Amino acid sequence: MHPGEGPENNKNHSGTKVSTSLSSDISIPGSDFEILGDKEIKPARILGESMMMITYRWELEDLEKDHKTISSRMICFRGEKVFRVGLKNRDKPTLIFMAIDLNKVGMRVREVGFDKENSDNRQKMTHNNVDGESLQLFTFDLNEMVVGNCTFVFSIWLEGSVPGCFSYQLADRLAKRDLWNASTKSQHYVDVEFVCKADKKFSAHKAILAARSPVFAAEFEELAKKYKFKTTDDGPLQIHIDDVDPTAVERFLYFLYTGEAIKLSLANEDLLKLAKRYELDTLVELCQIALKKVDVMQMASFVSNLDLDPESPPFIVRPDKDTELSFGHHESTYRCVWVFEGRKAAERPLAIDYQNENLFSLHLKDEIIHFICVNHRKFVNQVIYSTNSKNWIRMKPKNAKHKLEKSEMLFFVAKSDVDFDHSAEQSIHFDVKMISTIGDYRYEMMDVSWLTDFWKAAEDGQLTDVDVYVGQKKLMEAHQVILSARSPVLSNLLSNMTKNGKATITFEADIDPSIVKHFLYFLYTGSSKINFSNKQYLALAEIHEVETLSKICNLAIVSSPDVDEVTNFLLANF
């Protein structure tokens, strides 16, 4: 295991490198002042997060100029009928968006916007106050009655129904598949067997169960003390669960192993019972919210918000067919907020950090906002912006794309009505639509603790059975099940080692220990804390046949753009 390359030095970037949550209570870097002459300039900063956004096109045809209520049929999403759109077409028409029982799939609507087809402007709908978890209502008052043909395009932003615990996160999908396969295919040192009704059995691993559940951790620790000086070859530990349906046990284990729900409703009493028994707090909350139903008070609040006509106008359904709303798994929206005080701060180029790389830059010049993307993964689709978070405008690409040898630079511009000479803090919002170029490395709603539980167990030495060395120096401890499931090379190495005591994996002494640790972190979490352009990182991924990491690193390690090309681009556009 000898990558043969030294660690890459981090390159210095001009501008401020900041990427944080949009939460208002988080401390933001970049708050120091710079002195220019007698004037202090507070650097601009970026607050950013990736969001799940889906779209729905509602096509209306041959509408006459008379009062009607028009509605779609219920719209399915992930197997559940959860959305419906409507239009109260009157002298002062109202566009309506409803979400019903979206909590059953662990989500809720955060924001809804709409635009008319072929328009560059998007409007934010008003989120009406309808109490409860099961029903959400969004409305927008149009200026005039809709007549003839019209297509509304709804942009729907979703978030987890337990914010902060179940949210939109980036991870290697293969990490989840590999770990779940270890259970379903009884692979990689299975040492637990769940025995359920009708003699249905499920294989599992103590290390996985203990990392995710404090109850399992305590039980296994007690067993370890009891059999401290004994060895047994009696097979896996059997855990009998006969008070719930076996399908609930399978769904419970799937959540443990992947941090996600099998694509079935979370409104399941047996699943809730298991979540409570084994203290999976996030799953408990997800199930409790999913089991809540629309009640009479919610309906009363809903009706009062719609301002219904005393005399009900005709009601028609268009289109008169069922619709399944699909979500492009390779798409995500990166929302960033540019915060600045005064013209000088806005004119200074600001580097935006995305996935541990400086991919974007923002600055003001001659009242024009410049948004530049060094798009070496070719995954930016469009950029829109808003000065008030309600009215959104599509930014125009200038000179389209400037293609480099292995990448491209995109240059978007927009004229803003913001008073940049105003000294108070101001902000401009940007939504950057991203397309993932690595199919298995993408965002999904998941249990946030899944990203940390396994790694924490390794760092704490909880049920570890592998010692990891770099040269002669011990780096950390790890788990055979995770290393074997994630790397066929490590699986083969571990399978040839003795089963008594801990196994040992040794990396060559000339590899940077910190890169080895980041490599192991990716195996455990499917995510990375460092830039993927490190050559030792790539070498470790390729040697150990970690498919997703190899692909990402290969894309990230791009030759620096030719100086002539870059300067030509800058001279042509500035």
Side-chain angles (χ1 to χ4, degrees):
M1 290 178 283
H2 178 45
E5 295 285 351
E8 293 289 291
N9 295 323
N10 292 327
K11 295 181 180 180
N12 293 322
H13 300 276
S14 60
T16 305
K17 178 181 179 182
V18 180
S19 180
T20 65
S21 169
L22 289 174
S23 174
S24 59
D25 60 351
I26 289 181
S27 176
I28 304 297
S31 59
D32 296 330
F33 289 87
E34 179 179 343
I35 308 296
L36 286 183
D38 296 326
K39 191 173 182 180
E40 294 180 339
I41 299 177
K42 186 177 182 180
R45 64 190 190 274
I46 289 290
L47 297 83
E49 67 175 341
S50 290
M51 304 168 65
M52 183 178 189
M53 192 267 281
I54 56 178
T55 58
Y56 174 66
R57 295 177 74 258
W58 190 32
E59 298 180 3
L60 300 174
E61 297 179 346
D62 303 325
L63 295 183
E64 298 177 353
K65 193 172 184 179
D66 54 4
H67 289 205
K68 281 189 175 70
T69 296
I70 308 158
S71 169
S72 69
R73 282 189 176 275
M74 288 299 299
I75 303 165
C76 291
F77 177 63
R78 297 199 168 178
E80 297 285 336
K81 294 181 177 181
V82 292
F83 301 129
R84 196 166 193 176
V85 298
L87 172 66
K88 294 190 67 63
N89 206 18
R90 51 193 178 185
D91 293 334
K92 294 182 179 179
T94 301
L95 191 63
I96 302 164
F97 180 92
M98 294 179 285
I100 306 97
D101 290 337
L102 186 59
N103 51 327
K104 288 185 176 179
V105 292
M107 300 184 202
R108 67 183 185 187
V109 177
R110 172 171 170 169
E111 180 182 318
V112 179
F114 80 94
D115 61 320
K116 292 184 180 180
E117 195 169 43
N118 301 320
S119 170
D120 287 332
N121 297 326
R122 186 179 75 202
Q123 303 290 328
K124 181 179 178 180
M125 301 184 74
T126 300
H127 189 182
N128 293 268
N129 184 24
V130 178
D131 296 329
E133 304 284 352
S134 303
L135 185 61
Q136 291 179 277
L137 172 65
F138 298 80
T139 59
F140 188 89
D141 294 329
L142 302 175
N143 293 325
E144 58 186 7
M145 185 179 291
V146 180
V147 179
N149 299 336
C150 181
T151 298
F152 293 102
V153 181
F154 292 88
S155 301
I156 308 146
W157 282 264
L158 302 177
E159 63 183 1
S161 57
V162 187
C165 298
F166 191 75
S167 62
Y168 202 45
Q169 301 291 329
L170 178 67
D172 179 9
R173 305 301 301 168
L174 292 185
K176 296 170 181 283
R177 185 200 69 182
D178 292 341
L179 292 179
W180 183 236
N181 281 346
S183 171
T184 58
K185 298 180 180 180
S186 299
Q187 296 174 333
H188 309 304
Y189 315 99
V190 163
D191 50 9
V192 177
E193 184 177 67
F194 287 89
V195 182
C196 308
K197 291 179 179 178
D199 202 32
K200 181 70 175 177
K201 296 178 181 179
F202 301 98
S203 298
H205 306 80
K206 288 180 183 177
I208 301 293
L209 303 180
R212 298 281 283 140
S213 161
V215 175
F216 281 128
E219 289 181 358
F220 298 153
E221 184 179 357
E222 189 63 30
L223 282 173
K225 291 178 181 177
K226 184 177 180 181
Y227 295 103
K228 184 174 181 180
F229 302 107
K230 300 178 181 179
T231 58
T232 177
D233 293 318
D234 294 338
L237 170 70
Q238 287 196 332
I239 298 176
H240 292 265
I241 300 179
D242 55 11
D243 60 339
V244 299
D245 190 277
T247 58
V249 177
E250 181 180 25
R251 295 170 65 183
F252 170 73
L253 289 174
Y254 186 84
F255 191 87
L256 275 172
Y257 273 74
T258 69
E260 299 176 18
I262 293 179
K263 293 182 181 179
L264 295 170
S265 171
L266 286 160
N268 185 288
E269 294 284 0
D270 281 351
L271 186 58
L272 175 60
K273 182 186 292 187
L274 290 172
K276 286 182 174 180
R277 180 181 302 169
Y278 294 103
E279 297 181 12
L280 264 71
D281 294 340
T282 299
L283 186 56
V284 169
E285 289 194 64
L286 286 169
C287 291
Q288 287 176 335
I289 293 171
L291 286 163
K292 290 183 179 179
K293 302 183 183 300
V294 178
D295 59 32
V296 65
M297 293 307 295
Q298 283 181 263
M299 290 305 301
S301 179
F302 180 84
V303 171
S304 66
N305 275 281
L306 275 183
D307 187 25
L308 299 178
D309 296 328
E311 296 182 6
S312 299
F315 183 90
I316 60 175
V317 176
R318 293 188 183 178
D320 191 13
K321 61 181 180 180
D322 294 331
T323 305
E324 176 73 33
L325 191 58
S326 61
F327 168 61
H329 287 290
H330 304 312
E331 297 179 0
S332 65
T333 298
Y334 182 64
R335 172 165 291 181
C336 56
V337 183
W338 183 27
V339 184
F340 54 88
E341 291 185 14
R343 179 178 297 276
K344 290 294 185 183
E347 287 178 341
R348 176 179 301 167
L350 177 70
I352 304 173
D353 183 57
Y354 179 78
Q355 294 184 18
N356 303 310
E357 297 179 72
N358 279 351
L359 294 186
F360 312 117
S361 175
L362 264 172
H363 74 279
L364 174 73
K365 183 182 179 184
D366 299 330
E367 308 304 319
I368 303 294
I369 300 171
H370 297 71
F371 189 102
I372 301 173
C373 173
V374 182
N375 197 28
H376 71 256
R377 293 193 214 166
K378 301 184 174 72
F379 58 11
V380 170
N381 185 280
Q382 70 175 23
V383 181
I384 63 175
Y385 80 100
S386 172
T387 57
N388 58 14
S389 76
K390 293 182 179 179
N391 304 311
W392 293 81
I393 302 171
R394 195 184 312 274
M395 296 188 76
K396 301 292 186 182
K398 188 175 181 181
N399 290 351
K401 301 176 181 179
H402 182 79
K403 295 193 176 296
L404 306 177
E405 182 182 356
K406 295 183 179 179
S407 62
E408 63 189 16
M409 295 181 73
L410 281 73
F411 182 23
F412 297 90
V413 295
K415 186 173 179 61
S416 173
D417 57 1
V418 170
D419 181 5
F420 288 96
D421 292 318
H422 191 54
S423 59
E425 185 172 273
Q426 301 182 83
S427 64
I428 299 178
H429 296 66
F430 296 87
D431 275 2
V432 186
K433 189 174 181 181
M434 316 293 286
I435 306 295
S436 173
T437 52
I438 303 294
D440 290 310
Y441 191 63
R442 53 182 170 82
Y443 285 88
E444 186 53 87
M445 292 289 180
M446 68 179 73
D447 179 5
V448 175
S449 62
W450 183 88
L451 293 167
T452 57
D453 283 346
F454 300 142
W455 184 247
K456 185 177 185 303
E459 290 191 313
D460 293 347
Q462 182 187 63
L463 296 179
T464 52
D465 50 10
V466 181
D467 287 330
V468 179
Y469 283 80
V470 178
Q472 299 296 315
K473 187 174 180 179
K474 183 176 176 179
L475 179 68
M476 63 179 293
E477 297 179 7
H479 302 90
Q480 292 189 46
V481 54
I482 293 178
L483 300 185
S484 296
R486 296 286 284 125
S487 163
V489 174
L490 291 176
S491 177
N492 184 57
L493 285 172
L494 290 167
S495 66
N496 292 326
M497 292 181 181
T498 176
K499 294 184 179 180
N500 297 322
K502 283 189 174 181
T504 300
I505 293 290
T506 302
F507 293 85
E508 297 291 342
D510 59 349
I511 307 175
D512 186 340
S514 67
I515 301 302
V516 174
K517 198 162 188 177
H518 282 294
F519 170 70
L520 295 173
Y521 181 84
F522 188 88
L523 296 186
Y524 269 75
T525 69
S527 59
S528 180
K529 290 184 176 181
I530 63 170
N531 192 301
F532 289 111
S533 61
N534 186 288
K535 292 182 179 179
Q536 283 196 342
Y537 209 14
L538 169 62
L540 287 170
E542 291 185 333
I543 288 170
H544 297 95
E545 299 178 16
V546 183
E547 180 181 335
T548 301
L549 184 58
S550 297
K551 289 180 179 178
I552 302 171
C553 289
N554 272 305
L555 264 182
I557 298 177
V558 177
S559 299
S560 298
D562 181 82
V563 174
D564 288 336
E565 289 185 304
V566 174
T567 53
N568 287 341
F569 171 79
L570 295 174
L571 288 170
N573 288 285
F574 288 88

